[in-house]
Amino acid sequence: KHGFYTDRIACSIDYLNTFTPEKYVKDTIWKCAITMCKEEMDEKYEAVKKAMEEKFDYQFLRTAGEYIDISAKNCDKVHGLNQLFEHLNVSWEEACGDGTSDAEMIRLAGYGVTLENGCDLCKQNAKRILPDIKEEGCNVLFEELLGE
């Protein structure tokens, strides 16, 4: 089914299932995602990424086995946080993440951590690996930072 709809079950995320997004969206699209089965993604990702980045001014990042995030260049967590921190006059201290899009943020932080279920790239950049998200690994860090 083509068209625009809201998925109220998945955090009110809006989906656009179409080959002609300009028919439904008149404003700039800053980010979108592509999904396909992992086996197909394994086979096609690098070639699709290379071809699309040569043709369009967007960045392509495989964020999980079945997903590719497509966003405007510099429209990522690191760029957004750098702008926020500059505005607040603060610096990178702690960062926690588990997906490919978090790896650079973890690398730049003074104390970057990931979770047991984090991707390999996050684990390579982390100074510490917390318990799995199902074991409330993020809360372990928050409680330590808050002195609880």
PDB file of all heavy atoms in Angstrom, residues 38-59:
ATOM      1  N   LYS A  38      18.224  -9.279   5.880  1.00  0.00           N
ATOM      2  CA  LYS A  38      19.654  -9.176   6.161  1.00  0.00           C
ATOM      3  C   LYS A  38      20.517  -9.772   5.057  1.00  0.00           C
ATOM      4  O   LYS A  38      21.526  -9.187   4.678  1.00  0.00           O
ATOM      5  CB  LYS A  38      19.973  -9.842   7.504  1.00  0.00           C
ATOM      6  CG  LYS A  38      21.434  -9.690   7.897  1.00  0.00           C
ATOM      7  CD  LYS A  38      21.739 -10.376   9.202  1.00  0.00           C
ATOM      8  CE  LYS A  38      23.170 -10.229   9.623  1.00  0.00           C
ATOM      9  NZ  LYS A  38      24.176 -10.409   8.592  1.00  0.00           N
ATOM     10  N   GLU A  39      20.112 -10.896   4.513  1.00  0.00           N
ATOM     11  CA  GLU A  39      20.898 -11.544   3.475  1.00  0.00           C
ATOM     12  C   GLU A  39      21.014 -10.656   2.236  1.00  0.00           C
ATOM     13  O   GLU A  39      22.082 -10.518   1.639  1.00  0.00           O
ATOM     14  CB  GLU A  39      20.278 -12.894   3.095  1.00  0.00           C
ATOM     15  CG  GLU A  39      20.330 -13.926   4.196  1.00  0.00           C
ATOM     16  CD  GLU A  39      19.285 -13.704   5.299  1.00  0.00           C
ATOM     17  OE1 GLU A  39      18.259 -13.019   5.053  1.00  0.00           O
ATOM     18  OE2 GLU A  39      19.501 -14.209   6.411  1.00  0.00           O
ATOM     19  N   GLU A  40      19.903 -10.042   1.856  1.00  0.00           N
ATOM     20  CA  GLU A  40      19.910  -9.132   0.705  1.00  0.00           C
ATOM     21  C   GLU A  40      20.732  -7.886   1.015  1.00  0.00           C
ATOM     22  O   GLU A  40      21.486  -7.401   0.174  1.00  0.00           O
ATOM     23  CB  GLU A  40      18.470  -8.764   0.332  1.00  0.00           C
ATOM     24  CG  GLU A  40      18.361  -8.011  -0.958  1.00  0.00           C
ATOM     25  CD  GLU A  40      16.914  -7.751  -1.376  1.00  0.00           C
ATOM     26  OE1 GLU A  40      15.987  -7.998  -0.578  1.00  0.00           O
ATOM     27  OE2 GLU A  40      16.733  -7.284  -2.507  1.00  0.00           O
ATOM     28  N   MET A  41      20.617  -7.395   2.247  1.00  0.00           N
ATOM     29  CA  MET A  41      21.392  -6.225   2.660  1.00  0.00           C
ATOM     30  C   MET A  41      22.885  -6.541   2.623  1.00  0.00           C
ATOM     31  O   MET A  41      23.688  -5.740   2.131  1.00  0.00           O
ATOM     32  CB  MET A  41      20.980  -5.793   4.063  1.00  0.00           C
ATOM     33  CG  MET A  41      21.657  -4.528   4.543  1.00  0.00           C
ATOM     34  SD  MET A  41      21.060  -3.032   3.750  1.00  0.00           S
ATOM     35  CE  MET A  41      19.489  -2.838   4.565  1.00  0.00           C
ATOM     36  N   ASP A  42      23.268  -7.715   3.128  1.00  0.00           N
ATOM     37  CA  ASP A  42      24.677  -8.118   3.105  1.00  0.00           C
ATOM     38  C   ASP A  42      25.222  -8.118   1.677  1.00  0.00           C
ATOM     39  O   ASP A  42      26.356  -7.710   1.430  1.00  0.00           O
ATOM     40  CB  ASP A  42      24.850  -9.524   3.699  1.00  0.00           C
ATOM     41  CG  ASP A  42      24.627  -9.563   5.200  1.00  0.00           C
ATOM     42  OD1 ASP A  42      24.657  -8.499   5.847  1.00  0.00           O
ATOM     43  OD2 ASP A  42      24.421 -10.678   5.724  1.00  0.00           O
ATOM     44  N   GLU A  43      24.411  -8.550   0.763  1.00  0.00           N
ATOM     45  CA  GLU A  43      24.818  -8.680  -0.634  1.00  0.00           C
ATOM     46  C   GLU A  43      24.904  -7.337  -1.348  1.00  0.00           C
ATOM     47  O   GLU A  43      25.808  -7.098  -2.144  1.00  0.00           O
ATOM     48  CB  GLU A  43      23.810  -9.587  -1.344  1.00  0.00           C
ATOM     49  CG  GLU A  43      24.067  -9.786  -2.819  1.00  0.00           C
ATOM     50  CD  GLU A  43      22.960 -10.621  -3.463  1.00  0.00           C
ATOM     51  OE1 GLU A  43      22.441 -11.547  -2.819  1.00  0.00           O
ATOM     52  OE2 GLU A  43      22.620 -10.318  -4.620  1.00  0.00           O
ATOM     53  N   LYS A  44      23.990  -6.418  -1.062  1.00  0.00           N
ATOM     54  CA  LYS A  44      23.846  -5.206  -1.882  1.00  0.00           C
ATOM     55  C   LYS A  44      24.309  -3.902  -1.241  1.00  0.00           C
ATOM     56  O   LYS A  44      24.488  -2.913  -1.940  1.00  0.00           O
ATOM     57  CB  LYS A  44      22.380  -5.049  -2.283  1.00  0.00           C
ATOM     58  CG  LYS A  44      21.882  -6.185  -3.136  1.00  0.00           C
ATOM     59  CD  LYS A  44      20.436  -6.015  -3.497  1.00  0.00           C
ATOM     60  CE  LYS A  44      19.987  -7.181  -4.379  1.00  0.00           C
ATOM     61  NZ  LYS A  44      18.585  -7.089  -4.718  1.00  0.00           N
ATOM     62  N   TYR A  45      24.517  -3.870   0.069  1.00  0.00           N
ATOM     63  CA  TYR A  45      24.747  -2.600   0.761  1.00  0.00           C
ATOM     64  C   TYR A  45      25.905  -1.774   0.190  1.00  0.00           C
ATOM     65  O   TYR A  45      25.730  -0.609  -0.141  1.00  0.00           O
ATOM     66  CB  TYR A  45      24.964  -2.818   2.268  1.00  0.00           C
ATOM     67  CG  TYR A  45      25.363  -1.553   2.974  1.00  0.00           C
ATOM     68  CD1 TYR A  45      24.460  -0.508   3.120  1.00  0.00           C
ATOM     69  CD2 TYR A  45      26.646  -1.374   3.473  1.00  0.00           C
ATOM     70  CE1 TYR A  45      24.819   0.665   3.751  1.00  0.00           C
ATOM     71  CE2 TYR A  45      27.020  -0.205   4.111  1.00  0.00           C
ATOM     72  CZ  TYR A  45      26.105   0.805   4.240  1.00  0.00           C
ATOM     73  OH  TYR A  45      26.460   1.980   4.847  1.00  0.00           O
ATOM     74  N   GLU A  46      27.083  -2.330   0.106  1.00  0.00           N
ATOM     75  CA  GLU A  46      28.252  -1.542  -0.316  1.00  0.00           C
ATOM     76  C   GLU A  46      28.073  -0.951  -1.712  1.00  0.00           C
ATOM     77  O   GLU A  46      28.410   0.212  -1.951  1.00  0.00           O
ATOM     78  CB  GLU A  46      29.527  -2.376  -0.238  1.00  0.00           C
ATOM     79  CG  GLU A  46      29.978  -2.676   1.185  1.00  0.00           C
ATOM     80  CD  GLU A  46      30.253  -1.430   2.030  1.00  0.00           C
ATOM     81  OE1 GLU A  46      30.684  -0.390   1.477  1.00  0.00           O
ATOM     82  OE2 GLU A  46      30.021  -1.503   3.250  1.00  0.00           O
ATOM     83  N   ALA A  47      27.543  -1.718  -2.639  1.00  0.00           N
ATOM     84  CA  ALA A  47      27.344  -1.225  -4.003  1.00  0.00           C
ATOM     85  C   ALA A  47      26.287  -0.129  -4.041  1.00  0.00           C
ATOM     86  O   ALA A  47      26.466   0.897  -4.719  1.00  0.00           O
ATOM     87  CB  ALA A  47      26.945  -2.372  -4.931  1.00  0.00           C
ATOM     88  N   VAL A  48      25.202  -0.312  -3.316  1.00  0.00           N
ATOM     89  CA  VAL A  48      24.137   0.705  -3.276  1.00  0.00           C
ATOM     90  C   VAL A  48      24.657   1.983  -2.629  1.00  0.00           C
ATOM     91  O   VAL A  48      24.464   3.084  -3.142  1.00  0.00           O
ATOM     92  CB  VAL A  48      22.899   0.174  -2.515  1.00  0.00           C
ATOM     93  CG1 VAL A  48      21.916   1.288  -2.217  1.00  0.00           C
ATOM     94  CG2 VAL A  48      22.230  -0.941  -3.302  1.00  0.00           C
ATOM     95  N   LYS A  49      25.364   1.853  -1.514  1.00  0.00           N
ATOM     96  CA  LYS A  49      25.924   3.013  -0.808  1.00  0.00           C
ATOM     97  C   LYS A  49      26.847   3.803  -1.731  1.00  0.00           C
ATOM     98  O   LYS A  49      26.718   5.023  -1.854  1.00  0.00           O
ATOM     99  CB  LYS A  49      26.687   2.530   0.429  1.00  0.00           C
ATOM    100  CG  LYS A  49      27.404   3.626   1.199  1.00  0.00           C
ATOM    101  CD  LYS A  49      28.166   2.993   2.356  1.00  0.00           C
ATOM    102  CE  LYS A  49      28.927   3.833   3.252  1.00  0.00           C
ATOM    103  NZ  LYS A  49      29.385   5.051   3.184  1.00  0.00           N
ATOM    104  N   LYS A  50      27.762   3.126  -2.372  1.00  0.00           N
ATOM    105  CA  LYS A  50      28.723   3.798  -3.260  1.00  0.00           C
ATOM    106  C   LYS A  50      28.012   4.514  -4.406  1.00  0.00           C
ATOM    107  O   LYS A  50      28.278   5.698  -4.670  1.00  0.00           O
ATOM    108  CB  LYS A  50      29.714   2.770  -3.815  1.00  0.00           C
ATOM    109  CG  LYS A  50      30.812   3.367  -4.676  1.00  0.00           C
ATOM    110  CD  LYS A  50      31.782   2.269  -5.117  1.00  0.00           C
ATOM    111  CE  LYS A  50      32.987   2.793  -5.823  1.00  0.00           C
ATOM    112  NZ  LYS A  50      32.786   3.440  -7.071  1.00  0.00           N
ATOM    113  N   ALA A  51      27.099   3.838  -5.052  1.00  0.00           N
ATOM    114  CA  ALA A  51      26.388   4.438  -6.188  1.00  0.00           C
ATOM    115  C   ALA A  51      25.560   5.638  -5.757  1.00  0.00           C
ATOM    116  O   ALA A  51      25.566   6.686  -6.424  1.00  0.00           O
ATOM    117  CB  ALA A  51      25.491   3.388  -6.854  1.00  0.00           C
ATOM    118  N   MET A  52      24.876   5.523  -4.642  1.00  0.00           N
ATOM    119  CA  MET A  52      24.010   6.613  -4.185  1.00  0.00           C
ATOM    120  C   MET A  52      24.807   7.807  -3.671  1.00  0.00           C
ATOM    121  O   MET A  52      24.454   8.951  -3.938  1.00  0.00           O
ATOM    122  CB  MET A  52      23.055   6.101  -3.102  1.00  0.00           C
ATOM    123  CG  MET A  52      22.104   5.016  -3.595  1.00  0.00           C
ATOM    124  SD  MET A  52      21.046   5.549  -4.961  1.00  0.00           S
ATOM    125  CE  MET A  52      19.808   6.445  -4.074  1.00  0.00           C
ATOM    126  N   GLU A  53      25.897   7.560  -2.942  1.00  0.00           N
ATOM    127  CA  GLU A  53      26.692   8.679  -2.435  1.00  0.00           C
ATOM    128  C   GLU A  53      27.414   9.410  -3.552  1.00  0.00           C
ATOM    129  O   GLU A  53      27.674  10.606  -3.437  1.00  0.00           O
ATOM    130  CB  GLU A  53      27.673   8.193  -1.362  1.00  0.00           C
ATOM    131  CG  GLU A  53      26.985   7.906  -0.045  1.00  0.00           C
ATOM    132  CD  GLU A  53      27.927   7.503   1.068  1.00  0.00           C
ATOM    133  OE1 GLU A  53      29.085   7.088   0.790  1.00  0.00           O
ATOM    134  OE2 GLU A  53      27.500   7.571   2.234  1.00  0.00           O
ATOM    135  N   GLU A  54      27.724   8.722  -4.649  1.00  0.00           N
ATOM    136  CA  GLU A  54      28.326   9.395  -5.800  1.00  0.00           C
ATOM    137  C   GLU A  54      27.307  10.272  -6.519  1.00  0.00           C
ATOM    138  O   GLU A  54      27.652  11.311  -7.071  1.00  0.00           O
ATOM    139  CB  GLU A  54      28.891   8.362  -6.775  1.00  0.00           C
ATOM    140  CG  GLU A  54      30.168   7.704  -6.286  1.00  0.00           C
ATOM    141  CD  GLU A  54      30.651   6.597  -7.213  1.00  0.00           C
ATOM    142  OE1 GLU A  54      29.983   6.290  -8.221  1.00  0.00           O
ATOM    143  OE2 GLU A  54      31.717   6.024  -6.902  1.00  0.00           O
ATOM    144  N   LYS A  55      26.060   9.873  -6.494  1.00  0.00           N
ATOM    145  CA  LYS A  55      25.021  10.577  -7.240  1.00  0.00           C
ATOM    146  C   LYS A  55      24.306  11.650  -6.412  1.00  0.00           C
ATOM    147  O   LYS A  55      23.909  12.682  -6.950  1.00  0.00           O
ATOM    148  CB  LYS A  55      23.996   9.556  -7.755  1.00  0.00           C
ATOM    149  CG  LYS A  55      22.955  10.133  -8.667  1.00  0.00           C
ATOM    150  CD  LYS A  55      22.094   9.050  -9.279  1.00  0.00           C
ATOM    151  CE  LYS A  55      21.079   9.680 -10.226  1.00  0.00           C
ATOM    152  NZ  LYS A  55      20.243   8.704 -10.889  1.00  0.00           N
ATOM    153  N   PHE A  56      24.163  11.437  -5.110  1.00  0.00           N
ATOM    154  CA  PHE A  56      23.381  12.339  -4.267  1.00  0.00           C
ATOM    155  C   PHE A  56      24.200  12.864  -3.105  1.00  0.00           C
ATOM    156  O   PHE A  56      25.158  12.229  -2.665  1.00  0.00           O
ATOM    157  CB  PHE A  56      22.138  11.616  -3.726  1.00  0.00           C
ATOM    158  CG  PHE A  56      21.223  11.109  -4.802  1.00  0.00           C
ATOM    159  CD1 PHE A  56      21.189   9.756  -5.105  1.00  0.00           C
ATOM    160  CD2 PHE A  56      20.412  11.972  -5.511  1.00  0.00           C
ATOM    161  CE1 PHE A  56      20.347   9.272  -6.097  1.00  0.00           C
ATOM    162  CE2 PHE A  56      19.568  11.502  -6.505  1.00  0.00           C
ATOM    163  CZ  PHE A  56      19.537  10.154  -6.801  1.00  0.00           C
ATOM    164  N   ASP A  57      23.818  14.014  -2.576  1.00  0.00           N
ATOM    165  CA  ASP A  57      24.512  14.641  -1.458  1.00  0.00           C
ATOM    166  C   ASP A  57      23.929  14.157  -0.125  1.00  0.00           C
ATOM    167  O   ASP A  57      23.478  14.945   0.698  1.00  0.00           O
ATOM    168  CB  ASP A  57      24.414  16.162  -1.567  1.00  0.00           C
ATOM    169  CG  ASP A  57      25.411  16.862  -0.672  1.00  0.00           C
ATOM    170  OD1 ASP A  57      26.462  16.272  -0.367  1.00  0.00           O
ATOM    171  OD2 ASP A  57      25.131  18.002  -0.254  1.00  0.00           O
ATOM    172  N   TYR A  58      23.905  12.839   0.048  1.00  0.00           N
ATOM    173  CA  TYR A  58      23.394  12.223   1.264  1.00  0.00           C
ATOM    174  C   TYR A  58      24.418  11.227   1.774  1.00  0.00           C
ATOM    175  O   TYR A  58      25.290  10.780   1.048  1.00  0.00           O
ATOM    176  CB  TYR A  58      22.071  11.487   1.006  1.00  0.00           C
ATOM    177  CG  TYR A  58      20.921  12.428   0.777  1.00  0.00           C
ATOM    178  CD1 TYR A  58      20.580  12.844  -0.498  1.00  0.00           C
ATOM    179  CD2 TYR A  58      20.188  12.916   1.848  1.00  0.00           C
ATOM    180  CE1 TYR A  58      19.538  13.718  -0.708  1.00  0.00           C
ATOM    181  CE2 TYR A  58      19.132  13.794   1.644  1.00  0.00           C
ATOM    182  CZ  TYR A  58      18.809  14.185   0.369  1.00  0.00           C
ATOM    183  OH  TYR A  58      17.786  15.055   0.167  1.00  0.00           O
ATOM    184  N   GLN A  59      24.299  10.871   3.044  1.00  0.00           N
ATOM    185  CA  GLN A  59      25.146   9.834   3.612  1.00  0.00           C
ATOM    186  C   GLN A  59      24.287   8.606   3.893  1.00  0.00           C
ATOM    187  O   GLN A  59      23.120   8.725   4.229  1.00  0.00           O
ATOM    188  CB  GLN A  59      25.845  10.318   4.874  1.00  0.00           C
ATOM    189  CG  GLN A  59      24.912  10.795   5.960  1.00  0.00           C
ATOM    190  CD  GLN A  59      25.656  11.493   7.080  1.00  0.00           C
ATOM    191  OE1 GLN A  59      26.864  11.674   7.027  1.00  0.00           O
ATOM    192  NE2 GLN A  59      24.933  11.896   8.101  1.00  0.00           N
TER     193      GLN A  59
END
